[in-house]
């Protein structure tokens, strides 16, 4: 009767027969914990910027240059290209590995969570504006934070799946 709730609410603890397998799970758990807690210090994945290397760009106003309204995957419905994301009208990321979408959180790839959350959106009921750019500028102090966050989540997703796939059966 409560299997759906239990599957989501309780951790799934594997039952292993050998001490070596148990140690592998312990080690993987530590690595995953460190990786996920420290995700903001992960190296941004080196995506290709279609418009050119941003380190060479002459950016007069970083806050407006890196402003994100809504990220979008390339392609159209039915033929979405997840290897390319339009960050804003000035920046398009390509070369996103499809394996990064294998890391799923609550039924959705972590990268899709980032795409959904790094937007400017007004709540219909309260009228409160949720603006990822304000957080990037005022709290983090880096207008490129949403872009770097997406790149870091690629790195974390790839590393997570590498660790998970290395676990014993």
């Amino acid at each position: 009767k409560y299997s759906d709730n239990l599957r989501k609410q309780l951790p799934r603890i594997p039952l292993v027969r050998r001490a070596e397998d148990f140690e592998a799970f312990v080690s993987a758990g530590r690595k995953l914990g460190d990786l996920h807690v420290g995700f903001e210090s992960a190296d941004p994945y080196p995506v290709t910027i279609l418009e050119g290397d941003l380190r060479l760009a002459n950016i007069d106003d970083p806050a407006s240059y890196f402003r994100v309204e809504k990220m979008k995957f390339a392609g159209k419905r039915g033929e979405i290209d997840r290897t390319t994301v339009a960050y804003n009208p000035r920046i398009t990321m390509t070369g996103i590995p499809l394996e990064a979408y294998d890391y799923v959180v609550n039924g959705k790839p972590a990268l899709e969570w980032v795409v959904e959350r790094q937007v400017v959106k007004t709540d219909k009921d309260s009228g409160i504006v949720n603006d990822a750019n304000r957080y990037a500028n005022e709290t983090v102090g880096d207008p490129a934070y949403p872009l770097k966050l997406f790149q870091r989540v690629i790195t974390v997703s790839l590393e997570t799946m590498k660790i998970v796939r290395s676990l014993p059966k």
Side-chain angles (χ1 to χ4, degrees), residues 103-141:
Y103 175 51
V104 175
V105 178
N106 288 337
K108 186 182 298 189
L111 288 174
E112 288 184 16
W113 283 106
V114 175
V115 168
E116 281 183 9
R117 298 297 189 274
Q118 299 301 309
V119 297
V120 177
K121 186 169 126 181
T122 304
D123 182 67
K124 292 177 186 175
D125 296 332
S126 67
I128 296 172
V129 177
N130 181 12
D131 187 348
N133 301 292
R134 287 189 62 200
Y135 177 77
N137 293 324
E138 296 171 9
T139 305
V140 179

Side-chain angles (χ1 to χ4, degrees), residues 6 30 39 42 67 78 81 84 107 124 131-132:
L6 291 172
R30 283 197 178 107
F39 77 94
R67 182 170 178 74
D81 177 11
T84 303
K124 292 177 186 175
D131 187 348

